[in-house]
């Protein structure tokens, strides 16, 4: 009798959840969401200028998956972000490969051209839930770095040998970069990537029945995460690939925006002129830049207060340099990644975030000033939102298969740059900023 009751309870719970999903799908279909466009160098949400402080949420489709995900966590996190005024999420469209050391697992494209149906469903579910909340997605289609497979995985699939993983003792970063630069001259690699782009962009959401190319939840198709020119002689091949990729995206969807996902001049041998050259394409609708004070040697845990100030000064200089290019090209610019560690680079959610908040505040101020002037600096996506995720206590910061997904990708110490739901001071700062930017004083 107890077993029968338990079975009935489980069936009832499943039916309730199925009804809730069906209800959410109907609500999402009926939700009118304004198209994000560009006019005179700024974004518009419908007819209103659009400035934002958003988040990186690369793992969203993974926890949105029905089988391997955690949809309860997803819903709670989307609700918390919406409550904090965060309506712009930068999301990875699929890892590649079999999830070796320092890589995402499971992957959307676990073999070349073969997709995990559960994760495709997760992407649909995430976009449906975002549409219901009037949130916008920036979807990046590839990755320069090994943590999601990316360009290097396409090379391994097409006969270039094993990826020299720089997180293993036998390999170095120069070896990895020299290997990865071959992607832009590897015809079968590029052809496989173009098929991936066409496949994703041709998808119709299984929950809303809205084709991706007609869903204004998608603000921007982004070519890749931090696509790089690795040497002066590499620019020509890179430029040819970038032009072809942008043209392909434009051919499938001439309505939604296109961006590159570049770090700024850091993607181009610190050459601001190269950055400008590679963004003159009229089909690239807006510019991007990233900022990593710790990785770039601006921030020192042995002199935290002083180097936080130095990081802010250098950040402002970096911003100014790239905003000048945006003004010249008459395009908006978004800082689509920036991160800052906790005190002493601690991985504990209880560690101080005072210096992080000081840095965040300074960067957010720049967007508020730009909004007041109707300037080109139009948005930020901090890296990143980890919500209710928890790092495994016994793994010493190392991500292993089955652990919670956090904002820090598998190649990074888990918790290093993550903004958790418990970081109330950071979320309150962002909430106030977004109220100001949306005109809700």
């Amino acid at each position: 009798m107890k077993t029968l009751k338990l079975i009935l309870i489980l069936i009832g719970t499943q039916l309730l959840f199925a009804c809730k999903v069906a209800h959410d799908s109907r609500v999402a279909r009926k939700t009118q969401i304004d198209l994000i466009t560009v006019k005179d160098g700024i974004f518009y949400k419908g007819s209103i200028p659009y400035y934002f402080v958003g988040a990186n949420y690369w793992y969203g489709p993974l926890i949105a998956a029905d089988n391997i995900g955690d949809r309860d966590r997803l819903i709670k996190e989307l609700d918390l972000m919406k409550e904090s005024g965060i309506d712009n999420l930068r999301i990875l469209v699929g890892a590649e490969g079999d999830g070796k050391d320092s890589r995402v697992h499971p992957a959307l494209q676990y073999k070349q051209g073969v997709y995990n149906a559960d994760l495709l469903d997760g992407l649909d579910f995430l976009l449906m839930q975002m549409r219901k909340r009037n949130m916008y997605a920036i979807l990046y289609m590839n990755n320069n770095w090994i943590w999601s497979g990316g360009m290097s995985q396409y090379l391994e699939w097409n006969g270039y040998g094993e990826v020299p993983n720089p997180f293993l003792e036998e390999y170095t970063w120069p070896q990895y970069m020299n290997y990865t630069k071959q992607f832009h001259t590897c015809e079968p690699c590029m052809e496989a990537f173009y098929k991936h782009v066409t496949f994703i962009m041709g998808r119709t959401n299984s929950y809303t029945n809205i084709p991706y190319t007609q869903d204004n939840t998608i603000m921007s198709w982004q070519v890749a995460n931090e696509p790089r020119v690795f040497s002066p002689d590499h620019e020509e091949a890179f430029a040819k690939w970038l032009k072809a990729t942008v043209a392909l995206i434009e051919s499938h969807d001439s309505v939604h925006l296109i961006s590159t996902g570049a770090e700024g001049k850091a993607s181009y041998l610190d050459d601001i002129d190269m950055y400008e050259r590679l963004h003159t394409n009229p089909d690239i609708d807006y510019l991007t830049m990233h900022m990593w004070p710790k990785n770039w040697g601006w921030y020192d845990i042995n002199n935290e207060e002083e180097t936080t100030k130095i990081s802010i000064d250098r950040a402002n200089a970096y911003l100014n340099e790239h905003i000048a290019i945006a003004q010249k090209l008459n395009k908006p610019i978004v800082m689509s990644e920036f991160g800052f560690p906790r005190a002493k680079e601690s991985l504990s959610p209880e560690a101080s975030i005072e210096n992080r908040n000081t840095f965040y505040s300074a960067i957010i101020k720049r967007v508020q000033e730009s909004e007041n002037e109707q300037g080109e600096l139009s948005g930020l996506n901090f890296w990143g939102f980890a919500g209710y995720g928890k790092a495994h206590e016994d793994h010493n910061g190392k991500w292993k298969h089955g652990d919670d997904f956090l904002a820090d990708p598998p190649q990074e110490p888990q918790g290093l740059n993550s903004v958790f739901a418990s970081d109330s001071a950071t979320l309150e700062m962002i909430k106030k900023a977004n109220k100001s930017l949306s005109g809700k004083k």
Side-chain angles (χ1 to χ4, degrees), residues 47-238:
S47 60
I48 300 170
Y50 178 55
Y51 292 80
F52 62 88
V53 179
N56 275 270
Y57 196 54
W58 65 265
Y59 62 88
L62 287 146
I63 66 168
D66 191 21
N67 295 319
I68 67 99
D70 184 346
R71 288 183 169 177
D72 288 340
R73 176 186 167 191
L74 174 81
I75 298 304
K76 286 171 62 180
E77 291 184 351
L78 290 177
D79 285 344
L80 178 58
M81 284 191 279
K82 186 65 176 179
E83 183 185 329
S84 301
I86 297 169
D87 72 350
N88 193 290
L89 306 182
R90 184 168 176 262
I91 296 160
L92 171 67
V93 182
E96 296 84 15
D98 58 4
K100 296 177 184 177
D101 188 271
S102 305
R103 302 188 214 181
V104 174
H105 177 81
L108 177 65
Q109 193 178 176
Y110 56 94
K111 293 180 181 178
Q112 185 167 291
V114 182
Y115 290 84
N116 183 320
D118 190 35
L119 299 187
L120 286 172
D121 182 75
L123 179 59
D124 287 351
F125 187 83
L126 171 62
L127 290 173
M128 179 268 285
Q129 292 291 344
M130 289 178 64
R131 183 182 178 89
K132 179 186 168 187
R133 293 166 175 79
N134 271 281
M135 301 173 84
Y136 292 95
I138 297 170
L139 301 180
Y140 56 100
M141 312 283 273
N142 205 334
N143 195 354
N144 187 69
W145 306 114
I146 194 172
W147 62 265
S148 70
M151 298 174 189
S152 59
Q153 182 60 60
Y154 282 103
L155 287 162
E156 184 173 285
W157 277 335
N158 286 282
Y160 282 69
E162 185 176 4
V163 179
N165 185 343
F167 294 95
L168 301 179
E169 289 184 2
E170 58 265 39
Y171 299 115
T172 64
W173 278 107
Q175 285 177 302
Y176 174 77
M177 291 178 178
N178 283 329
Y179 180 91
T180 302
K181 70 183 287 188
Q182 298 173 101
F183 173 82
H184 304 99
T185 52
C186 170
E187 292 296 336
C189 301
M190 291 187 290
E191 186 60 32
F193 169 60
Y194 297 150
K195 287 180 180 178
H196 168 66
V197 170
T198 297
F199 174 73
I200 294 297
M201 294 187 70
R203 189 167 177 80
T204 294
N205 192 302
S206 58
Y207 293 93
T208 63
N209 294 319
I210 300 173
Y212 277 25
T213 54
Q214 297 176 26
D215 187 354
N216 291 346
T217 309
I218 297 172
M219 168 179 160
S220 170
W221 300 103
Q222 197 164 89
V223 171
N225 179 53
E226 302 188 340
R228 276 198 178 191
V229 173
F230 287 109
S231 59
D233 62 350
H234 180 217
E235 182 185 353
E236 183 178 354
F238 179 93

Side-chain angles (χ1 to χ4, degrees), residues 132-426:
K132 179 186 168 187
R133 293 166 175 79
N134 271 281
M135 301 173 84
Y136 292 95
I138 297 170
L139 301 180
Y140 56 100
M141 312 283 273
N142 205 334
N143 195 354
N144 187 69
W145 306 114
I146 194 172
W147 62 265
S148 70
M151 298 174 189
S152 59
Q153 182 60 60
Y154 282 103
L155 287 162
E156 184 173 285
W157 277 335
N158 286 282
Y160 282 69
E162 185 176 4
V163 179
N165 185 343
F167 294 95
L168 301 179
E169 289 184 2
E170 58 265 39
Y171 299 115
T172 64
W173 278 107
Q175 285 177 302
Y176 174 77
M177 291 178 178
N178 283 329
Y179 180 91
T180 302
K181 70 183 287 188
Q182 298 173 101
F183 173 82
H184 304 99
T185 52
C186 170
E187 292 296 336
C189 301
M190 291 187 290
E191 186 60 32
F193 169 60
Y194 297 150
K195 287 180 180 178
H196 168 66
V197 170
T198 297
F199 174 73
I200 294 297
M201 294 187 70
R203 189 167 177 80
T204 294
N205 192 302
S206 58
Y207 293 93
T208 63
N209 294 319
I210 300 173
Y212 277 25
T213 54
Q214 297 176 26
D215 187 354
N216 291 346
T217 309
I218 297 172
M219 168 179 160
S220 170
W221 300 103
Q222 197 164 89
V223 171
N225 179 53
E226 302 188 340
R228 276 198 178 191
V229 173
F230 287 109
S231 59
D233 62 350
H234 180 217
E235 182 185 353
E236 183 178 354
F238 179 93
K240 184 178 179 181
W241 166 79
L242 181 62
K243 182 178 180 180
T245 304
V246 169
L248 176 65
I249 295 171
E250 180 72 14
S251 72
H252 289 305
D253 183 356
S254 61
V255 175
H256 296 104
L257 304 179
I258 300 173
S259 54
T260 65
E263 302 156 273
K265 69 177 186 178
S267 283
Y268 306 123
L269 307 175
D270 284 325
D271 184 343
I272 196 70
D273 294 329
M274 188 188 299
Y275 175 80
E276 180 181 344
R277 284 196 299 274
L278 291 170
H279 287 84
T280 56
N281 186 335
D283 288 332
I284 296 174
D285 297 292
Y286 68 96
L287 311 184
T288 62
M289 58 178 157
H290 297 173
M291 189 172 293
W292 291 98
K294 173 189 175 296
N295 297 358
W296 295 356
W298 300 352
Y299 176 75
D300 182 358
I301 62 171
N302 296 311
N303 186 13
E304 292 183 298
E305 186 174 349
E306 181 62 27
T307 57
T308 297
K309 295 176 183 176
I310 290 171
S311 295
I312 291 170
D313 289 342
R314 293 183 178 179
N316 280 321
Y318 196 81
L319 277 160
N320 292 341
E321 196 171 9
H322 290 78
I323 291 169
I325 301 301
Q327 291 170 340
K328 187 174 179 181
L329 298 179
N330 195 31
K331 297 181 180 184
I333 186 166
V334 174
M335 187 187 291
S336 57
E337 277 186 30
F338 67 100
F340 210 86
R342 295 172 181 273
K344 299 298 181 184
E345 297 182 15
S346 172
L347 304 182
S348 170
E350 283 76 42
S352 172
I353 52 174
E354 183 178 353
N355 291 323
R356 173 189 288 175
N357 285 347
T358 297
F359 184 82
Y360 271 37
S361 178
I363 301 303
I364 289 171
K365 181 181 177 182
R366 292 298 305 268
V367 176
Q368 292 173 311
E369 291 171 346
S370 183
E371 189 265 348
N372 288 335
E373 299 167 359
Q374 297 289 276
E376 284 77 9
L377 179 60
S378 300
L380 309 171
N381 294 89
F382 68 86
W383 190 292
F385 187 75
Y388 296 95
K390 295 181 180 178
H392 199 294
E393 293 181 359
D394 297 332
H395 293 172
N396 298 314
K398 177 78 173 178
W399 188 85
K400 296 185 178 181
H401 293 184
D403 288 354
D404 281 359
F405 293 106
L406 305 183
D408 305 287
Q411 71 177 21
E412 300 284 356
Q414 298 298 287
L416 180 65
N417 295 298
S418 289
V419 174
F420 293 98
S422 56
D423 291 326
S424 55
T426 305

